[in-house]
Structure formats: C-alpha cells, structure tokens
Amino acid sequence: MKRFFNIFLLFFGAIGLYSCHDLDVPVTTQLTPDVFPQTPAQFVQAAGPTYNSFRQNFSTDWWFLQSLSTDEAILPARGGNWYDGARYEQHHKHTWNRDNAHVQSAWAWLTSTISTSNQNIYLITKAPESPAKQTSLAELRSMRALCYFMMMDLWGNIPVSTQFGDTTTARTVARADVFKFIEKELNESIPNLSEVVGQETYGRPTKYTAYAILAKMYLNAEVYTGTARWNDAIIACDKVISSGKFALESDYRKMFFVNNGPQIKEFIYAIPYDASAPNGYMFYARYSLPRSLRAKYSLPFTPSAACSTLPEFYAYFNDSKDVRNQQWITGKQYDYKGNPVIVNTTKQGFDEDYKGADASTALAYHVEITPNVVIKNPASFDLGNDEKAWNMGYRNNKFYCDSTSATRNQNNDVPIFRYADVLLMKAEAILRGGTATNGQTALSLVNELRSKRTTSPAWTSVTLQALYEERSREFTWETWHRNDMIRYGKYEDKWGAKTDTDVRKRLFPIPTNALQLNKLLTQNPGY
C-alpha cells in the first residue's frame, strides 16, 4: 500500500500536475475514454494524478500554515540557519504578507490539485457507464471538495471552478457560498462512495471520509458562514459512529509509526507516504528532531533541529499517566542502552556568551532538551549558535522518525480524519448546544477517548476549555490546531514572540502571483 500511488504515474502521471492556472491545457494521452478506463482498477489508476498531487504539499506547506501560526509549533533560526527570508517568523508573529513563500506554494498546490481533479473527472465522465465509473467520479469530487474545504479554511473567499477547460468561473466566491458548494458536492457524492474500509479503499475517500469533512465543516459553520450548525455536525458524526467500522486504537503511539496503514482502525482517511518514491514529501523528523539525536535514532541524515513547541502549548500535557506525553522529546537524553547522549564541545560551544579564559576548554555536554524558546537576536528571529540554542524547545516525535528509510523521507502515513476526532467533534457540538443522540453525552464521549489515553480517573464534568485542551493533546502535529484556535476564539491570543491580535489574520492573503494571473480575484481585507 505504501507504493500504491506510484502505480498511477505509469498511466496518467503527465496529466495536469502543473496546470493550476491554465485550465485550457489539453489532455495529451493516447489512452482515450473509448478504451480506458473500464475496469475498477483502471478507474483507480486514471484518478492517480489527483492523489499524487494532493499528497505532495500536505506535510509541508499545509502543515506550516496550520501549525506554525499557532502556539503548537515555532520554527526559529538557530545560528543563522532557517531564517529563510523571515517566512517562519511571519507565521509565528502573524506578520505574513501575500508574498510569503508558503502562502504562495500552498495556493499553487491546492489549485493545481483541483485542476488535476477536474481533468480526471473530464476524462472519466466520457467512459462507458458502470458502477465503477460512478464510484470513481464520487471519489474525485470528494477529493476536490476536500481541497476546496482546505482553501476555504485558509483563505475564505476563493475561486471555484469545476469544468475542465473553463476559465470563466474563476472569480472570487464568498466563503458562505463556497461552503454550500462543498456541502452539495459531498452530499451528491455520498450515495456512490464505498462503504468498504481497509486496504481495498485505503487512501481514497469513502462515505465516511465525506461525513467527516461535513462534520468538520458543520462544527466550524459559525466561523465559515455566520450560522451555527451543531445538530448537523452531530448527524454527520453519527453516520461515522453508527457504521461500526471504526474504533479507538489501544496503542496511541503505534498509530503514527512508520508501518502504519490500512490496519489502523482509527483512520477514516489518511495519506499514504512512501519514502522510496521520488520526492517522498513526508519528512517531519527533519524539522523537529535535535541534530544531536541522529545516532540515538539511527537516522540516515542529520535533523535540522529547527522546530519546537512552546511552553504555552506543552502546558496542556499535565497528566503524568497520559500516553500522549510520550510523543515529546524532553529533558536529559539517553540512548536505548541507558547511556547519556554526549556532544563533545567546548565551554563556549555550549554557551557562546561564555567569555572565561577557559572558553576553549573541552566539555562533554549531556544533551538536554529544555522547554523555553528564548529568541536571542529578535532582528533575525535567532536563538543563537551554541548547544543551548540548538536544544531549546521540546520536540515532537509523534510521527516516529524513520530509520528504515535511506533518505530523510519517511514511510509514516498521515491521517487527516480519525475516529477520535469524530467523537470529540460530537462532544463539542453537544456541549455547544446540539442535541445529544444515541445515549452519548459530551462527557461520555470524552471519557471514551480518555479511557484509551490515560489511566487517570474518568472526568466527572467537562467544559469547553477542558475539551479544547483535550483536542490539543490528541491532535498535536495533525494540522487541526489553527482550526480549533479560531473556533474557540484563541487565535488572537499572545504567545511566544507573537503580539498581533488582528482578527483579519484568521485568513491568509491571496498570493501576489495568483492575483497577477487571475484579475477576477479579490484580495482579503487587511492585505
């Protein structure tokens, strides 16, 4: 399954991967609708470019925008490394502009994937009628809807185009109308989506993927449209829960190991990654592991040691009996034989400000990952160039680093929707005023999850703040924290070096190059 999506490229890899701004690019393939696709396997192959395009930037640009703009993660410069034109500083401080590199590349990636899905839909529509054709079209429409959901979440008012070769509908559409479009697309697709979960459909949307997207939309409907839809969120969650096809995993950590995949009962929709594929696209360990721990984890590359969490976020991990604490790398470091991890340096190498006469004296430094992230040089968002700086900030190893890969690319599949999220979404919708169903209450749903994550006593009550903190623990590094912060009214808070409180930053700017290519677009307020 890790190599499943590479097969697609044998047939349609050349179609549409770079046509995000020109929908008039013709399909240039000798495989015509008269002869292909016909079988279910061929329909899956024909849709391959959409899935290949989608997986490319999810774990980079999408993650940067959704996580680095929150208190969950910070990527400061260390010794001049990783400043990169202030792009990461802008995420942290909410000072981005329409030329931010990740804002531009995320827009290009999602519009390209939408364009590719339009091309695939165009081709498959002309194939002979069959149940496999209708399922394939429903899957592609659902993938396109997911991309539009992601764009709506990031930019609000966006262009919507569904016709291959049609450049007349690419004007900006109001966020509430984009919401209605996505909702319609998913509801029309659901009857033809598969109810089968597991290896047969892994990596492709099923009915339950569509319901999970709808649940997420309805939970945030007040943000997106101005009208709360708590009961609709509960109904969508119940479609997943009542199916009986998903369950909470008893081993939280194993869900994110390098050998995860269709056997994980908690995954509703996940992106399969293959480290051996060209441009594997998934390399979380590169960003978050300290460089001093390369040997400890037997890595084939030296981690950049750049990305940390902030004390404000780590404060939610306050239960010593909670297995989710284990995703963090903290404190003194030891190898798997119990030996201290040592870096041989000097007194000044450990602390560059040390000016003693013995500054060059050798020092065997026992690596310690410390909680605080102290920006020493604000002008360059830099922590300094010594061992203290390189080991500041607790690190996340949730998507466990991959020592089986020959490169920095990892084999860990990345879930977008998990059963745990459905349970907590339903709990929140009830807590916010929705009607409880099937004998489940907000408290019972949260305790159902917590019974798998901690041996601490069950809660006797639950508040929105407690639920927010539970979501923070459960979905760390899974790109939902920005979405949660906005819904809970916390995105304008101050953390780290961030002081910006402008509510307009709940939306990113439409990038300059998109505005230049499409004169029908309207920039978001404040940019």
Side-chain angles (χ1 to χ4, degrees):
M1 292 306 297
K2 298 290 186 179
R3 293 171 174 79
F4 181 66
F5 288 102
N6 297 327
I7 298 173
F8 297 146
L9 302 182
L10 294 174
F11 295 93
F12 282 84
I15 302 176
L17 293 180
Y18 304 103
S19 58
C20 58
H21 298 298
D22 186 357
L23 299 182
D24 292 321
V25 176
V27 175
T28 54
T29 175
Q30 296 178 354
L31 298 172
T32 67
D34 294 332
V35 297
F36 182 84
Q38 296 179 12
T39 69
Q42 289 172 338
F43 277 108
V44 172
Q45 292 164 350
T50 293
Y51 297 101
N52 185 62
S53 178
F54 181 74
R55 71 172 179 166
Q56 290 184 19
N57 293 54
F58 183 90
S59 296
T60 52
D61 293 321
W62 175 255
W63 190 90
F64 289 141
L65 295 183
Q66 293 287 8
S67 296
L68 293 179
S69 64
T70 73
D71 61 357
E72 178 183 55
I74 182 173
L75 207 165
R78 300 175 197 254
N81 298 279
W82 287 98
Y83 185 63
D84 291 357
R87 66 183 69 172
Y88 305 107
E89 178 183 16
Q90 290 172 3
H91 295 328
H92 177 75
K93 294 182 176 180
H94 288 198
T95 56
W96 51 72
N97 55 43
R98 59 188 187 177
D99 296 314
N100 179 279
H102 299 131
V103 170
Q104 294 188 65
S105 54
W107 178 279
W109 159 58
L110 287 168
T111 53
S112 176
T113 304
I114 290 166
S115 180
T116 300
S117 68
N118 285 341
Q119 293 178 18
N120 290 161
I121 290 169
Y122 174 81
L123 170 69
I124 291 173
T125 299
K126 295 185 176 297
E129 289 300 321
S130 69
K133 170 185 174 179
Q134 293 306 316
T135 296
S136 183
L137 288 173
E139 290 172 349
L140 285 167
R141 289 177 72 184
S142 297
M143 288 303 300
R144 183 175 66 190
L146 177 57
C147 290
Y148 274 122
F149 165 75
M150 295 164 73
M151 289 191 72
M152 176 184 69
D153 187 70
L154 290 174
W155 289 285
N157 308 323
I158 57 172
V160 174
S161 178
T162 61
Q163 298 299 315
F164 172 53
D166 181 6
T167 60
T168 64
T169 60
R171 66 178 63 254
T172 301
V173 176
R175 197 182 208 183
D177 291 327
V178 178
F179 184 103
K180 292 177 183 177
F181 163 76
I182 300 169
E183 182 182 28
K184 181 175 181 289
E185 284 285 290
L186 291 171
N187 283 325
E188 290 180 357
S189 298
I190 284 172
N192 291 309
L193 289 171
S194 177
E195 295 182 1
V196 175
V197 299
Q199 183 166 330
E200 182 179 338
T201 57
Y202 189 69
R204 308 199 321 270
T206 64
K207 288 184 189 293
Y208 311 107
T209 307
Y211 286 129
I213 300 171
L214 286 170
K216 189 68 71 172
M217 288 174 57
Y218 295 142
L219 190 70
N220 291 279
E222 196 166 22
V223 173
Y224 296 147
T225 71
T227 302
R229 296 182 65 175
W230 310 124
N231 284 330
D232 287 329
I234 291 168
I235 291 170
C237 289
D238 279 344
K239 293 290 188 180
V240 178
I241 295 169
S242 63
S243 74
K245 294 177 181 292
F246 305 94
L248 294 172
E249 291 286 340
S250 58
D251 192 326
Y252 181 78
R253 296 303 312 283
K254 284 187 178 179
M255 277 195 288
F256 310 100
F257 281 3
V258 298
N259 60 348
N260 63 356
Q263 76 278 10
I264 303 297
K265 295 293 291 182
E266 200 165 314
F267 287 1
I268 298 171
Y269 184 74
I271 304 174
Y273 282 100
D274 180 1
S276 67
N279 298 320
Y281 305 116
M282 193 287 187
F283 29 78
Y284 284 159
R286 172 197 178 195
Y287 294 104
S288 60
L289 261 65
R291 62 182 185 178
S292 56
L293 300 187
R294 176 180 179 177
K296 173 178 177 176
Y297 292 107
S298 303
L299 297 177
F301 65 96
T302 299
S304 301
C307 191
S308 309
T309 196
L310 290 160
E312 294 94 326
F313 184 79
Y314 187 76
Y316 301 136
F317 292 81
N318 53 8
D319 177 2
S320 62
K321 297 179 180 180
D322 195 319
V323 68
R324 293 169 295 193
N325 295 352
Q326 298 173 15
Q327 66 185 290
W328 296 103
I329 300 174
T330 67
K332 297 279 189 182
Q333 294 300 300
Y334 299 85
D335 64 23
Y336 291 111
K337 294 182 179 180
N339 302 312
V341 175
I342 300 296
V343 170
N344 293 310
T345 183
T346 64
K347 289 187 175 182
Q348 195 168 60
F350 169 73
D351 180 356
E352 64 183 355
D353 293 324
Y354 183 78
K355 304 300 182 184
D358 58 346
S360 60
T361 300
L363 175 68
Y365 163 59
H366 183 184
V367 173
E368 180 177 9
I369 311 302
T370 56
N372 295 322
V373 180
V374 181
I375 298 174
K376 181 180 178 180
N377 302 305
S380 55
F381 203 52
D382 204 312
L383 309 187
N385 193 24
D386 51 29
E387 289 300 324
K388 287 198 309 181
W390 283 99
N391 293 291
M392 282 183 184
Y394 289 163
R395 311 305 168 86
N396 189 275
N397 195 23
K398 182 177 197 169
F399 292 90
Y400 201 86
C401 52
D402 190 355
S403 62
T404 69
S405 171
T407 68
R408 68 187 184 185
N409 297 325
Q410 297 178 227
N411 283 293
N412 318 60
D413 294 348
V414 176
I416 300 179
F417 299 106
R418 289 198 284 119
Y419 188 60
D421 201 357
V422 170
L423 296 182
L424 292 189
M425 284 194 290
K426 181 176 180 179
E428 183 178 336
I430 293 172
L431 202 58
R432 290 186 182 274
T435 303
T437 60
N438 302 327
Q440 294 173 317
T441 65
L443 181 61
S444 71
L445 288 161
V446 175
N447 277 330
E448 181 179 349
L449 173 67
R450 287 181 56 78
S451 69
K452 297 289 187 180
R453 306 300 191 237
T454 178
T455 57
S456 292
W459 285 355
T460 57
S461 63
V462 60
T463 64
L464 281 173
Q465 177 61 29
L467 187 56
Y468 172 80
E469 294 179 10
E470 188 68 15
R471 288 192 60 84
S472 298
R473 286 184 286 269
E474 180 68 20
F475 303 113
T476 300
W477 246 247
E478 293 184 57
T479 72
W480 287 120
H481 193 54
R482 172 182 167 273
N483 186 278
D484 290 345
M485 292 195 88
I486 292 173
R487 187 173 67 257
Y488 277 82
K490 296 179 180 292
Y491 198 57
E492 290 72 54
D493 291 353
K494 299 177 181 180
W495 57 78
K498 172 189 175 292
T499 58
D500 191 293
T501 60
D502 189 348
V503 295
R504 293 178 298 183
K505 299 300 176 63
R506 293 184 178 190
L507 295 177
F508 287 97
I510 296 175
T512 298
N513 53 3
L515 292 167
Q516 292 173 339
L517 289 166
N518 185 351
K519 303 300 184 182
L520 298 177
L521 299 181
T522 303
Q523 183 59 275
N524 285 322
Y527 298 108

